[in-house]
Amino acid sequence: EAEIERLKLELARLRGRLSEALRATNAPVAAASAPSASAGRDRAAARGWEALLSGRSDAAVQRVVDARLNLARERLHLTPDQEQAIRGVVSNALAAGRENLRRLLAGQATYDEVPTQQEWGRALEREIMALLTPEQQEAYRQQRREEMVANARLAANTELLLVQGSLQLDAQQQDAMFATLYDFSLRQM
């Protein structure tokens, strides 16, 4: 789950960088626009995308899906039919997301031609909600709120850890930056 969240954050960061580059140059996105190999973090991200696209990460993704479905089954009291239907919806959404990412990195699509992370997530959530009873929908919304708060906190902590040393922030500045990063992360989810 943490790896998926890290990949979501990295995808959002890369989308922002690519969008800025596109606006600055007004040039089409090509495969060369993929994550830069100039920094260690970018090389690691590129390897992550490569693993995701090649299928090497399928087992890890499946473990995350299974864990999330187990949690949903317990918290939402899913029937076996609901669980199977949700598994199919998630599987199809992941395959579509993987294909969109492959097309983007290969230069076969632009960012305007594929859904954003938020659009993709909202579409997936709508499909899942359609499979739930009204009581399950409310429990699902509560679970998502809790997850969003936890993920925003994790993202803010991660970003703060990346910059606090180089910026030499004191405790008060760290608190202020955490609050800003947390708010930003929560709005992005």
Side-chain angles (χ1 to χ4, degrees), residues 118-162:
Q118 288 85 6
E119 291 166 341
W120 178 85
R122 282 189 219 115
L124 175 58
E125 194 160 280
R126 278 192 301 273
E127 287 187 64
I128 291 171
M129 292 291 274
L131 298 170
L132 303 176
T133 67
E135 296 81 19
Q136 289 172 320
Q137 289 175 0
E138 183 54 40
Y140 180 80
R141 281 190 282 275
Q142 178 62 33
Q143 179 182 338
R144 290 293 298 141
R145 281 189 293 270
E146 292 169 7
E147 288 173 350
M148 285 174 33
V149 166
N151 289 336
R153 189 170 281 125
L154 176 64
N157 276 324
T158 301
E159 291 297 321
L160 183 59
L161 284 171
L162 292 172

Side-chain angles (χ1 to χ4, degrees), residues 5-148:
E5 294 307 318
R6 186 189 68 73
L7 289 173
K8 284 180 183 178
L9 291 171
E10 187 67 15
L11 177 59
R13 186 183 69 77
L14 290 171
R15 278 186 170 202
R17 287 179 57 191
L18 286 171
S19 293
E20 288 171 12
L22 264 178
R23 282 191 297 272
T25 62
N26 204 16
V29 175
S33 296
S36 166
S38 63
R41 201 164 88 166
D42 288 342
R43 281 194 301 277
R47 285 192 304 273
W49 297 129
E50 186 179 289
L52 183 63
L53 294 175
S54 71
R56 292 191 311 255
S57 65
D58 286 352
V61 170
Q62 190 58 50
R63 284 192 301 273
V64 170
V65 169
D66 289 343
R68 304 246 334 150
L69 276 172
N70 288 337
L71 180 63
R73 184 182 334 106
E74 292 172 15
R75 288 183 129 187
L76 306 178
H77 308 290
L78 297 177
T79 66
D81 288 343
Q82 284 177 311
E83 183 178 350
Q84 191 61 33
I86 291 171
R87 184 178 299 280
V89 164
V90 170
S91 178
N92 290 341
L94 289 172
R98 185 178 291 125
E99 176 59 17
N100 285 334
L101 180 60
R102 185 200 62 74
R103 290 177 49 226
L104 283 169
L105 293 176
Q108 297 171 344
T110 66
Y111 284 104
D112 293 333
E113 297 171 331
V114 298
T116 65
Q117 179 183 351
Q118 288 85 6
E119 291 166 341
W120 178 85
R122 282 189 219 115
L124 175 58
E125 194 160 280
R126 278 192 301 273
E127 287 187 64
I128 291 171
M129 292 291 274
L131 298 170
L132 303 176
T133 67
E135 296 81 19
Q136 289 172 320
Q137 289 175 0
E138 183 54 40
Y140 180 80
R141 281 190 282 275
Q142 178 62 33
Q143 179 182 338
R144 290 293 298 141
R145 281 189 293 270
E146 292 169 7
E147 288 173 350
M148 285 174 33

